[in-house]
């Protein structure tokens, strides 16, 4: 992989600003520069960033319709109405349903939850679910992580005497459903100061408002924060502002006192006894929570998340882990098939976007395949399969490009679509696929910038090995949790040499374990470069090279710094 390194050297004015901030916070200018890049310019802002406080959560009643939503929920409970908590089948939807159901169940028993079947009912609110709700005597449905576009479905529910409270974070259309209350910070008329909550986050704000209105101590919400952390990480929303507060304290909960269901997943993932990070959620916990909805039915995931008995939870987690193994097999096969198709498209390198259709692909895994192809080819990607005669798919984007707008430009060809900047779900008639492909690719070609289709690394600081101290390592930990808008900092060091002991490792000899020195100090730095064994010959040639990396703690030797090297290239001075 040939990465383009993006690095903007600080101006003299910026260097002075970093120096002044560093003195105030008692940290290095490197740390001060990292804060400035995140929009943190004052000592007080730095303190709030390093120590996010639950007391700084935004007043939930600033969200449009929150007072109406709380009043309707209070009325339902007062009248002993049957309440259904309904959600999407992905991580965000399942954690949101678990959070709301688990909290309300402490005070109210006439309540149930419902996750639609991905294959039988599809995304969002289904008529089958509404008919079931009517038969079960449900009078109020709280829908989470979907519903913002369900105009016809919610009108149908109203005809059945069922009210809706929508808790969603996806981009609304101009027309909103006829729900009693619509809680969505992305509403055009939104008065809420933070726009980037995930679906579970909106559900949490609803419960926060309900608790506040009913005199329930905020402390009773804290055990639910592990759900928020998992959904924030898995749904790839910005980890700044209110999301940072929820993720910070959610991770604390996940590490110190997770719910029974989460504890069982942690054990199945082999994470017991380790400090769980956002990366662990993205690569280990999240995929397992998702697997049930992808392979079977997401209801099993919520069953697990609300379980109170650890042994039963462990049994359920084992089943979900089996689904994850099945999902990985399907994912691998589909990714290989998709790759072969893309490689056969000779013109692909000139195409601004990828659109693939295979009627035999499994609907529940197309999003993963789209993400994988986006990572490989650096193109906005749509992957479609066929389900009950309708093409169903997922779109994924590259950094900085709004794929929602691209899909929206083809809305007249679509049966349905919804999502946000980097991920969209869509359905359309199979006959419309060729025209959708043509128009989607044309729209992308007219709106995407060439640099958005390049493999890039955004470097935050150019440093020497002498700068990598134990204090810097400890200070860097204070930037966590990481995610969009607050990535783990990427550094570069130029003109480094092999100490003479670097070697190729791995089952297929695909990685390099490095011991490096630079010309500015006698420090020998340990590093690991995954999948970069092609650089080994150059490294051993005793010529200098530049590295781009993150600074990590060696999990086997806690006191030791290890560089996780993202890219290696010959130094410019080497010609």
């Amino acid at each position: 992989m040939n990465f383009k390194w993006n690095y903007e050297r600080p101006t003299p004015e910026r260097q002075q600003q970093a120096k002044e901030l560093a003195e105030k916070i008692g940290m290095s200018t490197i740390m001060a520069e990292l804060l400035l890049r995140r929009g943190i310019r004052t000592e007080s802002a730095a303190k709030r960033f390093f120590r996010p406080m639950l007391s700084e959560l935004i007043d939930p009643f600033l969200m449009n319709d929150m007072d109406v939503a709380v009043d309707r929920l209070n009325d339902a409970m007062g009248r002993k109405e049957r309440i259904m908590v309904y959600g999407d089948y992905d991580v965000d939807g399942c954690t949101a349903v678990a959070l709301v159901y688990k909290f309300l169940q402490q005070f109210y028993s006439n309540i149930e939850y419902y996750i639609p079947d991905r294959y039988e009912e599809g995304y969002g609110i289904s008529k089958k679910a509404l008919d079931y709700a009517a038969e079960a005597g449900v009078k109020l449905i709280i829908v989470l992580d979907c519903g913002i576009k369900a105009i016809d479905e919610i009108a149908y529910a109203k005809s059945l005497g069922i009210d809706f409270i929508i808790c969603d974070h996806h981009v609304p259309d101009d027309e909103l459903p006829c729900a009693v209350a619509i809680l969505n910070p992305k509403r055009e008329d939104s008065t809420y100061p933070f726009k980037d909550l995930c679906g579970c986050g909106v559900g949490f704000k609803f419960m926060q408002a309900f608790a506040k209105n009913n005199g329930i101590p905020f402390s009773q919400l804290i055990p639910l924060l592990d759900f928020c952390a998992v959904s924030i990480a898995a749904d790839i929303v910005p980890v700044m502002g209110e999301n940072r507060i929820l993720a910070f304290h959610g991770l604390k909960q996940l590490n110190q006192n997770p719910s029974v269901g989460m504890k069982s997943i942690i054990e199945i993932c082999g994470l017991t006894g380790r400090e769980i990070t956002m990366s662990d959620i993205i690569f280990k916990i999240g995929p397992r929570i998702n697997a049930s909805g992808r392979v079977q039915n997401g209801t099993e995931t919520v069953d697990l998340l609300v379980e109170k008995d650890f042994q039963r939870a462990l049994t359920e987690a084992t089943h979900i882990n089996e689904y994850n193994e099945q999902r990985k097999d399907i994912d691998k096969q589909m990714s290989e098939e998709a790759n072969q198709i893309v490689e056969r498209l000779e013109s692909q390198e000139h195409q601004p976007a990828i659109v693939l259709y295979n009627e035999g692909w499994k609907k529940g895994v197309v999003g993963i395949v789209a993400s994988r192809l986006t990572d490989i080819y650096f193109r906005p990607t749509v992957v479609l399969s066929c389900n009950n005669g309708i093409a169903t798919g997922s779109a994924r984007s590259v950094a900085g490009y709004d794929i929602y707008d691209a899909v929206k430009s083809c809305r007249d060809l679509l049966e349905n679509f919804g999502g946000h900047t980097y991920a969209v779900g869509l359905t359309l008639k199979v006959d419309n696929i060729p025209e959708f492909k043509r128009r989607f690719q044309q729209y992308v070609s007219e709106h995407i910038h060439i640099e958005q289709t390049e493999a890039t690394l955004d470097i935050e600081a150019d440093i020497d090995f002498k700068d990598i101290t134990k204090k810097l390592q400890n200070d860097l930990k204070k930037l966590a949790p990481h995610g969009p808008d607050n990535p783990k900092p990427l550094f570069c060091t130029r003109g480094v040499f092999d100490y003479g002991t670097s070697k190729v490792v791995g089952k297929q000899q695909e990685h390099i374990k490095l011991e490096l020195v630079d010309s500015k100090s006698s420090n020998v730095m340990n590093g690991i470069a995954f999948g970069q064994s092609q650089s080994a010959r150059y490294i051993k040639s005793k010529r200098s090279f530049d590295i781009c990396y993150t600074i990590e703690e060696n999990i086997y030797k806690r006191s030791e710094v290890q560089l996780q090297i993202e890219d290696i290239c010959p130094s410019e001075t080497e010609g």
Side-chain angles (χ1 to χ4, degrees):
M1 174 84 59
N2 293 316
F3 286 100
K4 177 184 175 183
W5 292 16
N6 286 337
Y7 176 60
E8 189 178 332
R9 193 172 295 281
T11 63
E13 293 79 14
R14 178 66 165 250
Q15 289 174 348
Q16 182 60 32
Q17 198 178 359
K19 183 181 176 184
E20 290 171 3
L21 180 58
E23 288 171 357
K24 288 175 183 173
I25 63 175
M27 291 183 176
S28 66
T29 54
I30 294 169
M31 280 297 295
E33 173 60 26
L34 297 178
L35 291 172
L36 290 171
R37 285 176 180 269
R38 286 157 179 73
I40 298 158
R41 296 178 173 82
T42 65
E43 182 182 2
S44 59
K47 285 179 178 176
R48 287 197 303 274
F49 185 78
F50 290 142
R51 292 189 290 277
M53 305 289 285
L54 288 169
S55 59
E56 292 179 350
L57 288 172
I58 300 166
D59 179 356
F61 285 100
L62 291 178
M63 194 176 291
N64 304 57
D65 286 358
M66 187 62 82
D67 52 346
V68 180
V70 171
D71 286 346
R72 181 64 185 89
L73 178 55
N74 283 335
D75 288 346
M77 293 170 80
R79 294 198 290 254
K80 302 198 180 326
E81 293 176 348
R82 185 78 176 157
I83 298 171
M84 175 185 282
V85 184
Y86 186 110
D88 190 21
Y89 35 62
D90 68 359
V91 177
D92 194 14
C94 289
T95 52
V97 167
L99 185 151
V100 171
Y101 175 81
K102 198 171 178 183
F103 186 69
L104 291 180
Q105 196 191 32
Q106 299 173 81
F107 315 103
Y108 192 70
S109 59
N110 195 13
I111 186 169
E112 64 178 297
Y113 53 84
Y114 190 101
I115 303 291
D117 185 285
R118 185 189 291 261
Y119 298 97
E120 288 187 12
E121 297 170 79
Y123 172 79
I125 298 162
S126 73
K127 187 174 182 294
K128 177 184 174 183
L130 295 176
D131 289 339
Y132 162 77
E135 287 175 22
V138 171
K139 294 298 178 186
L140 175 65
I141 295 178
I142 300 168
V143 60
L144 297 134
D145 194 36
C146 58
I148 197 62
K149 293 192 172 187
I151 292 168
D152 293 342
E153 293 82 0
I154 289 178
Y156 176 67
K158 195 172 183 180
S159 74
L160 298 174
I162 300 171
D163 283 340
F164 260 86
I165 295 171
I166 297 173
C167 302
D168 204 353
H169 71 123
H170 295 101
V171 179
D173 275 339
D174 294 336
E175 183 185 355
L176 296 176
C178 57
V180 169
I182 298 174
L183 308 179
N184 187 332
K186 289 194 178 77
R187 281 174 57 161
E188 191 77 26
D189 60 346
S190 177
T191 54
Y192 198 69
F194 185 72
K195 309 298 181 190
D196 293 314
L197 290 169
C198 58
C200 187
V202 178
F204 180 84
K205 298 306 295 186
F206 184 22
M207 294 301 96
Q208 184 189 0
F210 172 79
K212 188 175 182 179
N213 180 264
N214 287 280
I216 300 165
F218 182 84
S219 58
Q220 288 189 233
L221 287 161
I222 292 175
L224 304 168
L225 288 170
D226 56 355
F227 294 142
C228 288
V230 169
S231 63
I232 287 167
D235 221 50
I236 322 289
V237 291
V239 188
M240 292 292 275
E242 193 162 38
N243 281 343
R244 179 170 173 80
I245 300 171
L246 293 171
F248 182 91
H249 290 278
L251 277 175
K252 190 175 176 183
Q253 188 70 24
L254 201 60
N255 279 290
Q256 294 178 2
N257 190 23
S259 65
V260 168
M262 283 295 183
K263 188 178 179 182
S264 69
I265 297 172
I266 289 166
E267 182 150 322
I268 288 293
C269 292
L271 294 172
T272 303
R274 271 185 50 190
E275 184 178 358
I276 296 164
T277 65
M278 297 292 266
S279 291
D280 292 323
I281 295 172
I282 292 168
F283 295 111
K284 295 185 178 181
I285 295 173
R288 284 167 173 82
I289 292 176
N290 247 337
S292 179
R294 292 189 188 282
V295 176
Q296 200 67 33
N297 188 293
T299 302
E300 289 186 49
T301 297
V302 182
D303 292 343
L304 168 60
L305 294 177
V306 301
E307 181 57 66
K308 296 174 183 175
D309 180 84
F310 182 68
Q311 286 307 315
R312 279 203 295 268
L314 207 53
T315 301
E316 290 168 356
T318 303
H319 290 155
I320 282 175
N321 197 52
E322 289 167 1
Y323 293 145
N324 191 51
E325 292 304 312
Q326 291 176 42
R327 187 273 307 166
K328 283 196 282 189
D329 289 342
I330 297 165
D331 168 18
K332 184 180 178 184
Q333 179 189 340
M334 284 173 58
S335 292
E336 287 172 355
E337 290 175 7
N339 256 320
Q340 288 168 8
I341 293 169
V342 174
E343 286 170 1
R344 286 199 299 269
L345 297 174
E346 294 179 8
S347 62
Q348 184 52 52
E349 61 183 89
H350 305 295
Q351 292 290 349
I354 297 170
V355 180
L356 296 181
Y357 168 68
N358 185 317
E359 64 179 16
W361 284 341
K362 197 167 180 67
K363 177 184 174 184
V365 190
V366 291
I368 296 173
V369 176
S371 294
R372 212 174 293 285
L373 291 174
T374 302
D375 290 342
I376 294 170
Y377 295 101
F378 290 91
R379 300 286 188 278
T381 300
V382 181
V383 177
L384 298 158
S385 64
C386 189
N387 192 58
N388 297 326
I390 292 288
T392 305
S394 287
R396 295 294 184 270
S397 194
V398 293
Y401 184 73
D402 190 338
I403 202 167
Y404 182 86
D405 282 348
V407 173
K408 187 178 179 181
S409 72
C410 307
R411 66 183 308 162
D412 57 302
L413 299 171
L414 307 176
E415 299 297 301
N416 201 0
F417 75 101
H420 41 80
T421 303
Y422 294 120
V424 177
L426 63 154
T427 56
L428 68 161
K429 291 173 181 170
V430 173
D431 291 346
N432 285 345
I433 292 174
E435 180 62 9
F436 170 79
K437 179 178 180 179
R438 185 190 71 78
R439 279 175 44 189
F440 178 80
Q441 290 185 328
Q442 181 179 340
Y443 183 93
V444 173
S445 70
E446 292 170 356
H447 294 85
I448 202 165
H449 300 299
I450 188 67
E451 58 268 20
Q452 291 173 325
T453 62
E454 296 175 336
T456 59
L457 292 171
D458 294 320
I459 295 163
E460 297 204 51
D462 187 338
I463 64 175
D464 300 317
F465 285 168
K466 64 180 172 55
D467 299 316
I468 304 174
T469 62
K470 188 66 181 173
K471 177 165 173 34
L472 177 64
Q473 185 187 4
N474 289 333
D475 286 344
L476 286 172
K477 291 178 185 177
K478 296 175 183 176
L479 294 174
H482 295 292
D485 289 3
N486 181 35
K488 185 169 281 192
L490 269 178
F491 301 97
C492 71
T493 299
R494 304 181 193 275
V496 305
F497 296 87
D498 175 27
Y499 185 59
T501 47
S502 298
K503 59 184 178 181
V504 175
V505 295
K507 287 181 181 177
Q508 274 87 42
Q509 300 284 283
E510 68 271 41
H511 315 307
I512 316 174
K513 190 174 186 305
L514 298 142
E515 289 189 332
L516 304 171
V517 291
D518 68 0
S519 58
K520 304 284 179 67
S521 71
S522 58
N523 292 5
V524 178
M525 299 301 305
N526 293 314
I528 182 76
F530 294 111
Q532 297 183 61
S533 58
Q534 73 278 1
S535 297
R537 186 186 294 264
Y538 187 91
I539 288 168
K540 300 304 285 184
S541 71
K542 298 185 179 179
R543 288 179 286 177
S544 72
F545 50 96
D546 304 339
I547 55 171
C548 176
Y549 56 90
T550 59
I551 297 173
E552 310 287 344
E553 185 175 68
N554 190 321
I555 59 170
Y556 303 109
K557 299 177 183 176
R558 288 286 181 187
S559 60
E560 188 178 284
V561 175
Q562 179 171 273
L563 309 183
Q564 183 164 315
I565 296 168
E566 301 297 326
D567 198 24
I568 299 166
C569 66
S571 296
E572 290 182 11
T573 54
E574 290 294 321

